[in-house]
Amino acid sequence: MTTTPPPNTPLWETGRWTPLPPVAEPLAADVCVVGLGGSGLTAVHELLDRGARVIGIDAGIVAGGAAGRNGGLALAGLAPFYHRAVEALGHDRALAFYRATMEEQARMRSATPEHVRVTDSLRIAVDAEEGEDCIAQFEAMQADGLPVELYDGGEGRGLLFPGDMSFNPLARCRSLARQALERGAQLFEGSAATDIAGETVVANGHPIRCGAAVVAVDGRLDLVLPELAGRVRTARLQMLGTEPATDAVFPRPMYLRDGYEYVQQLENGAFALGGFRDMFEADEWTHDATPTNEIQELLESFLRDCVRTKARITHRWAASVGYVEGTLPVMEEVRSGVWAIGGYCGTGNLVGALAGRAAAAAALGQSCELLGLFRGE
């Protein structure tokens, strides 16, 4: 008998997570991390590596936001393709960021090998203009010795990126949370931060005394820290998932149309795909994370016409993510002792981890190459 999941449940959810307790008394730590998604949990581990006492809190559950509801792609680089990042940041800084994301891929494989697959990835051009842009990207990457190949295959023409990865984002975050608990961190769910300052974070009416705070929130960061509302906008990204397919094989995750559409096939044959935010852009600038019929219909057409599978759709879901103007996400001290990270423009699985590491060092007043990289130093 097939069980229908609750509405707006991601394909990654198994229902086997044991909930963490809420904050129920005054607490103290060196640093309080607000948000237990991928970037927040990376910050927790970086803080532990640096010898800090850490408390992490989340208003919902571990990876309950975009960290556990995204497409599960760990693609090297920043949100803009490499040649565009070079134009925006300068050659040396863009190259350093690209190499840093490749190093983060290696850390992911080491920390949670059971949840990560090295699949390579594809960027497929949908028209001549995008094809020309692929060539520009290829030439820039090849000149700097970065892994890239021209591609012409069943999916279409474009670029292949050796070493890129796909993974189960929800399972990986929960694995990181368990590892952090074993290392001595205190983590709490169902604990919304109602007041955030460098010396005290209040959750569920209880103070958490700390030397600094790291706010690791992507979607709705503009609500958590209103002073960022003019720089960070929250958007809705929508996805769907299928039962295991027997009529289509996609060995590599794939980007199309400048990354607006993306798809990966899981080891069991199921597909997870998303996109088409720009088709209803005005409606998708929202804090509402509920799927809509209009975009879900486009995703279903993409599944049938491009992926070409008749596999039954089992999951439809959405997530809130943060967008910023420009090339880099927010990674800065927005209040005295309060470091904010977010606004990854839909590509936070690696860049968010880098921001988490940089913010952890900054919160402790320690040095870090990534911190200088974000600052442009």
Side-chain angles (χ1 to χ4, degrees):
M1 181 178 176
T2 302
T3 301
T4 301
N8 206 9
T9 299
L11 182 65
W12 320 113
E13 181 60 73
T14 64
R16 294 195 291 266
W17 173 247
T18 300
L20 301 178
V23 173
E25 61 182 350
L27 300 167
D30 296 319
V31 180
C32 178
V33 176
V34 179
L36 296 178
S39 58
L41 288 164
T42 300
V44 167
H45 279 279
E46 185 72 19
L47 290 162
L48 292 170
D49 289 344
R50 293 172 178 267
R53 296 176 302 139
V54 187
I55 289 174
I57 63 173
D58 199 288
I61 61 174
V62 167
R69 305 175 71 85
N70 65 68
L73 306 182
L75 313 183
L78 298 169
F81 294 125
Y82 181 67
H83 57 307
R84 300 178 193 171
V86 169
E87 292 176 357
L89 298 177
H91 173 267
D92 291 352
R93 194 177 180 199
L95 179 58
F97 262 116
Y98 201 98
R99 288 175 173 164
T101 59
M102 292 174 63
E103 292 170 3
E104 194 61 38
Q105 287 175 326
R107 292 191 186 99
M108 288 180 66
R109 294 194 300 270
S110 175
T112 55
E114 67 277 21
H115 301 305
V116 176
R117 295 185 296 148
V118 179
T119 53
D120 306 339
S121 74
L122 296 173
R123 178 191 175 190
I124 298 300
V126 299
D127 55 30
E129 181 179 0
E130 190 171 1
E132 292 176 1
D133 195 66
C134 284
I135 295 299
Q137 181 181 0
F138 171 78
E139 292 175 348
M141 293 182 66
Q142 188 181 51
D144 286 334
L146 298 175
V148 63
E149 301 173 11
L150 295 174
Y151 182 81
D152 186 356
E155 300 91 341
R157 292 183 177 181
L159 301 177
L160 183 147
F161 305 96
D164 276 349
M165 308 185 308
S166 61
F167 68 107
N168 181 320
L170 187 55
R172 181 175 183 275
C173 280
R174 289 174 174 175
S175 179
L176 290 176
R178 287 189 289 267
Q179 292 175 21
L181 290 167
E182 292 170 358
R183 298 183 65 192
Q186 295 177 268
L187 305 182
F188 301 90
E189 295 179 332
S191 301
T194 54
D195 189 23
I196 302 172
E199 296 180 351
T200 305
V201 174
V202 178
N204 292 346
H206 300 288
I208 302 172
R209 304 294 179 186
C210 53
V214 174
V215 179
V217 177
D218 187 32
R220 301 189 178 92
L221 180 60
D222 50 327
L223 298 182
V224 178
L225 295 173
E227 55 264 58
L228 292 175
R231 293 176 51 199
V232 181
R233 296 183 72 186
T234 295
R236 173 172 52 200
L237 297 187
Q238 300 192 40
M239 295 190 65
L240 62 74
T242 75
E243 65 183 0
T246 59
D247 56 355
V249 176
F250 278 63
R252 307 174 190 86
M254 181 174 64
Y255 260 21
L256 298 94
R257 214 165 56 86
D258 275 352
Y260 274 111
E261 280 76 67
Y262 46 93
V263 58
Q264 75 147 305
Q265 188 170 26
L266 282 60
E267 285 186 288
N268 69 355
F271 281 98
L273 57 91
F276 298 104
R277 179 182 69 86
D278 63 317
M279 298 294 187
F280 296 90
E281 188 169 22
D283 295 332
E284 298 308 289
W285 291 118
T286 177
H287 296 97
D288 181 3
T290 305
T292 64
N293 291 334
E294 293 81 3
I295 287 185
Q296 288 295 316
E297 288 175 359
L298 290 175
L299 289 173
E300 186 166 352
S301 295
F302 177 53
L303 177 72
R304 305 307 183 202
D305 300 337
C306 181
V307 180
R308 296 181 182 177
T309 177
K310 297 179 180 179
R312 182 176 63 90
I313 296 171
T314 56
H315 296 72
R316 300 180 186 272
W317 73 97
S320 293
V321 301
Y323 278 76
V324 294
E325 293 289 339
T327 305
L328 295 179
V330 170
M331 202 300 300
E332 64 188 62
E333 188 176 20
V334 296
R335 298 174 185 172
S336 179
V338 178
W339 291 83
I341 55 176
Y344 306 121
C345 300
T347 59
N349 288 326
L350 294 176
V351 178
L354 299 183
R357 295 187 191 282
L364 295 174
Q366 298 178 2
S367 61
C368 171
E369 289 185 11
L370 286 172
L371 188 57
L373 192 57
F374 274 102
R375 290 171 167 172
E377 299 172 349

